[in-house]
Amino acid sequence: MRTTHRTDGSTDDHTSGPGRRLGRRQGRLAVLAAGGLAAAALVAGCGSSGSSSSSAPANPPAASSAPASPGTTATTLKTTNDPHLGTIVTDSAGFTLYRFDHDSANPPTATCNGGCAALWPPVPATGTTASVSGIDAKLVGTVTRADGSKQVTLAGRPLYRYAPDQKPGDTKGQGVDGVWFAATPTGDRAGMSGSGGSGY
């Protein structure tokens, strides 16, 4: 019985030894795992700070676009001589500006909105005073559009560009649907109708 007891005791002592080793190994593994998690957390932390820093540069473009507005302190209108239409009004880049017969000059009212405005982009009113060349500045004004934006007017008529005009000097919008015409320096229709096209 004592021998058996000793054998049981020694067996218990023997198994408890490896058990302790396993416990120590598991403890070390737990420490290593915790260390790995900590490292992962640090990496994740760096990643999040990187993403926040990478999102920070998103602001400079917005800020860089702000200085562009001072560059457009005034809308520029000027005149050019078209061989077929005579003297017409253009923007600063030389694109022809048009008037729409469905608009009103008195009071100034812009009726080209939505899809119409996509094809005929309104000339935006920027700054407080328009810069003009060959045009009486007293004829230049602004009108508030349905969306709240401001549009340049000439003799009360809102001015537009025509999207299919791809280069300065194009007059593809002249005579479209019998209601769109290049504007003269006095805000009237330019002299001759074009071949027309699709419009509003």
Side-chain angles (χ1 to χ4, degrees), residues 102-166:
H102 290 176
D103 286 345
S104 170
N106 189 20
T109 306
T111 60
C112 177
N113 299 294
C116 175
L119 184 61
W120 299 90
V123 176
T126 55
T128 55
T129 305
S131 172
V132 297
S133 176
I135 300 167
D136 185 351
K138 293 178 183 177
L139 295 178
V140 180
T142 64
V143 63
T144 301
R145 295 177 51 77
D147 62 3
S149 63
K150 298 284 188 179
Q151 181 176 358
V152 174
T153 62
L154 180 59
R157 291 277 179 181
L159 294 178
Y160 303 83
R161 274 195 51 195
Y162 186 45
D165 283 352
Q166 297 181 346

